[in-house]
């Protein structure tokens, strides 16, 4: 699978129900790439959750991405935090969270397949990462970076502006966790741009 245009990021604390059910509903609405973020879970529970999510994604040729380098199953795509080291055994696809030009430069030097760049808009789930970048900040930072997925406060109506500013796609957490059917609106916005 190539770099996703829509990456659903999990957060079971925001999910309207059990995470496998929320992801199944998101997949039914068109999601094909899911980042299992929930890093606070003990590794055995997280591995079991990954197995359940793969069972949802595999039938549609979807992509499961493991958040962080710790405990990543062999052969699974990995998305690193801004500070995580690159795993010694490089995963088949590698993403990284970025919030600045320096972090984007590091990700490019490491050969990351994609980056998330955040926060694009104000959002309660990305506190402490400075002011929202907006599309102007996105446009200033995206050139020369690996494919950028705009993250943080991005709504379906913002997708066209993010793509016009240089993003390759979007990553979404809260809106999808609360209402997985909204994935259809993100997919439509991506298709229309």
């Amino acid at each position: 699978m190539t770099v996703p245009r829509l990456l659903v990021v999990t957060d079971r604390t925001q999910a309207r129900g059990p995470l496998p059910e929320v992801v199944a509903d998101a997949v039914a609405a068109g999601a094909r790439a899911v980042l299992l973020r929930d890093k606070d879970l003990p590794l055995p529970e997280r591995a079991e959750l990954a197995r359940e999510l793969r069972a949802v994604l595999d039938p549609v040729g979807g992509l499961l991405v493991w958040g962080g380098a710790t405990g990543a199953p062999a052969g699974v795509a990995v998305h690193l935090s801004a500070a995580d080291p690159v795993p010694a055994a490089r995963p088949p696809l590698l993403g990284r969270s970025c919030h600045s030009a320096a972090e984007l430069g590091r990700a490019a030097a490491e050969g990351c397949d994609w980056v998330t760049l955040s926060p694009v808009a104000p959002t309660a789930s990305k506190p402490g990462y400075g002011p929202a970048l907006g599309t102007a900040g996105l446009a200033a930072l995206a050139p020369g970076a690996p494919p950028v997925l705009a993250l943080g406060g991005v709504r379906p109506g913002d997708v066209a502006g993010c793509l016009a500013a240089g993003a390759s796609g979007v990553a979404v957490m809260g809106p999808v966790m609360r209402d997985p059917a909204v994935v259809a609106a993100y997919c439509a916005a991506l298709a229309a741009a």
Side-chain angles (χ1 to χ4, degrees):
M1 180 175 214
T2 59
V3 175
R5 292 197 75 208
L6 173 63
L7 180 63
V8 171
V9 182
T10 67
D11 181 353
R12 70 190 189 291
T13 67
Q14 294 188 57
R16 66 156 172 76
L19 201 50
E21 292 175 19
V22 171
V23 169
D25 290 345
V27 167
R32 293 298 179 264
V34 175
L35 166 57
L36 175 56
R37 184 169 171 255
D38 300 88
K39 298 178 191 178
D40 61 312
L41 285 172
L43 192 52
E45 288 179 40
R46 199 162 177 235
E48 174 58 22
L49 186 53
R51 188 194 63 72
E52 292 176 39
L53 298 184
R54 280 188 100 156
V56 171
L57 288 160
D58 284 351
V60 297
L63 174 69
L64 178 65
V65 181
W66 183 270
T70 304
V76 172
V78 171
H79 185 85
L80 303 172
S81 73
D84 285 337
V86 174
R90 184 178 166 84
L93 287 172
L94 182 63
R96 181 177 288 284
S97 295
C98 296
H99 313 92
S100 68
E103 291 173 356
L104 289 169
R106 174 185 177 190
E110 293 167 337
C112 288
D113 297 295
W114 75 81
V115 296
T116 57
L117 182 57
S118 66
V120 172
T123 176
S125 62
K126 293 299 282 185
Y129 288 103
L133 297 167
T135 53
L138 185 59
L141 293 171
V148 170
L149 301 178
L151 171 65
V154 178
R155 306 286 185 222
D158 303 322
V159 169
C162 290
L163 297 179
S168 296
V170 297
V172 184
M173 185 174 61
V176 175
M177 292 295 101
R178 292 185 293 272
D179 179 14
V182 76
V183 165
Y186 284 100
C187 291
L190 286 161

